[in-house]
């Protein structure tokens, strides 16, 4: 049976669980247990600290896992990256005290930089010919400059609010991360088949996220124009109406483009526009 490792608690736990839930997979017990049997898919769920997931998957303790790309690259474990999951987005950045006069990467020469990601930072320094000292600390990296432990930090940034609160400013964005699905290299055929089934479910959810299903009534004379402005999956679905001069057009539109497209459709005569949430796109 397939074993999946997910973060026991923390930022990726909830979204990992809800992605599995959208794929029809639920856990039979909460966060307290180390392992639980899944419902809706032949799988066991292992709850680990995110730091331990790359190694657990590399060793085959779990066949697959959901973890931030930052952890995989930092831990440098040999795992296969099989699907990017579109949540947990963040970046690893260098930040310095707000008032410091940053002159570019050369500013970092001879400075002490506090981080929990020494490997990724070391590579950035090597790639850019920077000679700085890496000061590894486990947590609360953002307070290091204020307490005199370092001149700069290298840490995870998402909204940037934590940096501002600590009087820091981001000067180099080094690495971009999101949650990814990883697998043990060289798995047996039966496990690969199970993973393919899971990937199929996950892909259909990821494809449908951020998409809306839009239905409208349209004068037939505007049809060609409407088809040109709409990004259908293959082509929009067209249904006749009892009034032969009108038709009903159905299309999938990314949420980010929704209002722009609706304004354009209204301008060519679309009426009674319905916008529905889309649950799955099965290809
Ligand atoms: O207990 P365990 O070891 O499992 O968890 P953890 O405390 O090590 O990790 P956790 O739960 O904080 O984060 C897990 C993963 O979530 C990270 O490895 C990233 O891949 C991803 N992620 C996404 C983030 C953030 N966004 C994030 N904003 N991880 C941490 N942060 C922290 C960051 O360290 C900083 O303190 O949030 C703060 C910055 O946020 P902003 O929004 O103020 O910029
Ligand atoms: Zn961790």
């Amino acid at each position: 049976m397939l074993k999946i490792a997910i973060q026991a608690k923390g930022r990726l736990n909830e979204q990992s669980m809800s992605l599995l839930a959208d794929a029809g997979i639920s856990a039979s017990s909460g966060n307290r247990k180390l392992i639980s049997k899944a419902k809706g898919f032949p799988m066991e769920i292992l709850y680990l600290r995110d730091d331990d997931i790359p190694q657990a998957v590399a060793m085959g303790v779990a066949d697959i896992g959901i973890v931030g790309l930052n952890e995989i690259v930092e831990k440098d474990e040999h795992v296969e990256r099989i699907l990017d999951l579109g949540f947990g987005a963040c970046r690893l950045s260098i930040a310095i005290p707000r008032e410091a006069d940053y002159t570019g990467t050369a500013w970092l020469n001879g400075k002490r930089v506090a981080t929990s990601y020494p490997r990724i930072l070391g590579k950035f320094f090597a790639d850019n010919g920077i000679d700085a000292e890496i000061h590894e600390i486990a947590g609360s990296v953002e307070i290091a400059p204020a307490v005199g432990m370092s001149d700069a930090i290298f840490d995870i940034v998402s909204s940037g609010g934590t940096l501002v609160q600590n009087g820091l400013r981001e000067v180099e964005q080094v690495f971009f991360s999101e949650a990814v699905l990883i697998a043990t290299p060289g798995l047996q055929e039966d496990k690969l088949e199970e993973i393919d089934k899971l990937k199929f479910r996950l892909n259909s959810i990821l494809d449908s996220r951020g998409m809306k299903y839009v239905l409208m009534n349209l004068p037939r004379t505007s049809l060609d124009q409407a088809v040109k402005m709409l990004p259908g999956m293959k082509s929009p679905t067209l249904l006749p109406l009892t009034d032969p001069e009108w038709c009903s057009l159905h299309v999938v539109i990314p949420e980010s483009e929704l209002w722009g497209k609706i304004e354009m459709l209204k301008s060519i005569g679309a009426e009674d526009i319905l916008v529905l949430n889309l649950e799955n796109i099965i290809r």
Side-chain angles (χ1 to χ4, degrees):
M1 196 188 296
L2 213 54
K3 276 200 193 110
I4 185 170
I6 67 161
Q7 195 188 21
K9 48 186 177 214
R11 283 167 196 269
L12 301 183
N13 168 270
E14 206 172 296
Q15 280 169 295
S16 304
M17 294 303 283
S18 80
L19 179 65
L20 292 178
D22 288 349
I25 305 167
S26 60
S28 48
S29 104
N31 290 343
R32 299 279 160 247
K33 264 169 80 177
L34 175 65
I35 189 160
S36 74
K37 201 161 173 310
K39 285 186 200 148
F41 199 82
M43 191 162 80
E44 281 180 321
I45 307 176
L46 225 71
Y47 302 94
L48 300 178
R49 281 199 60 187
D50 69 342
D51 311 56
D52 298 332
I53 294 177
Q55 195 188 19
V57 173
M59 288 171 62
V61 172
D63 306 299
I64 52 176
I66 297 179
V67 69
L69 185 62
N70 52 315
E71 287 298 327
I72 301 166
V73 174
E74 181 59 31
K75 296 293 185 299
D76 198 26
E77 294 287 353
H78 183 41
V79 294
E80 264 170 45
R81 178 174 166 185
I82 53 177
L83 191 62
D84 294 350
L85 299 173
F87 64 87
C90 59
R91 55 195 186 270
L92 280 166
S93 295
I94 296 176
I96 65 170
R98 196 172 30 217
E99 61 288 352
D101 188 15
Y102 190 70
T103 49
T105 50
W107 183 92
L108 295 160
N109 283 320
K111 300 283 199 302
R112 291 164 308 159
V113 186
T115 188
S116 311
Y117 293 90
R119 188 187 298 266
I120 297 174
L121 182 59
K123 181 167 185 312
F124 176 75
F125 285 170
D127 289 349
N128 290 277
I130 299 163
D131 181 18
E133 190 188 319
I134 297 176
H135 189 63
E136 186 176 352
I137 52 179
S140 304
V141 171
E142 64 279 359
I143 63 161
V147 299
M149 262 163 71
S150 73
D151 305 299
I153 67 162
F154 177 63
D155 199 10
I156 296 178
V157 180
S158 129
S159 68
T162 304
L163 294 183
V164 172
Q165 274 168 25
N166 287 281
L168 299 168
R169 82 187 155 98
E170 189 176 9
V171 292
E172 300 290 340
Q173 299 188 344
V174 173
F175 184 87
F176 292 85
S177 179
E178 67 178 290
V180 294
L181 183 70
I182 53 172
T184 312
L187 284 172
Q188 306 264 319
E189 197 54 39
D190 56 334
K191 294 223 167 158
L192 292 177
E193 276 170 24
E194 291 299 298
I195 292 173
D196 273 347
K197 283 185 201 154
L198 180 67
K199 251 177 84 178
F200 179 80
R201 291 196 196 185
L202 297 179
N203 268 324
S204 87
I205 295 154
L206 298 174
D207 280 355
S208 66
R209 283 195 172 165
M211 301 296 256
K212 297 286 179 189
Y213 190 80
V214 181
L215 303 79
M216 76 208 78
N217 291 338
L218 193 74
R220 279 204 173 256
T221 49
S222 298
L223 191 58
D224 285 349
Q225 267 176 293
V227 171
K228 277 194 201 114
M229 60 178 69
L230 291 170
M233 282 187 279
K234 279 205 178 67
S235 60
T237 304
L238 187 64
L239 296 176
L241 294 178
T242 40
D243 181 342
E245 293 188 353
W246 285 77
C247 58
S248 167
L249 193 65
H250 298 204
V251 69
V252 175
I253 299 181
E255 207 170 356
S256 55
E257 298 171 18
L258 183 68
W259 290 104
K261 297 287 181 204
I262 285 181
E263 279 155 21
M264 285 159 76
L265 289 162
K266 276 174 69 72
S267 75
I268 58 166
E271 286 180 6
D272 303 324
I273 302 171
L274 298 185
V275 180
L276 308 178
N277 285 326
L278 195 61
E279 241 172 59
N280 278 312
I281 299 178
I282 315 280
R283 292 189 199 271

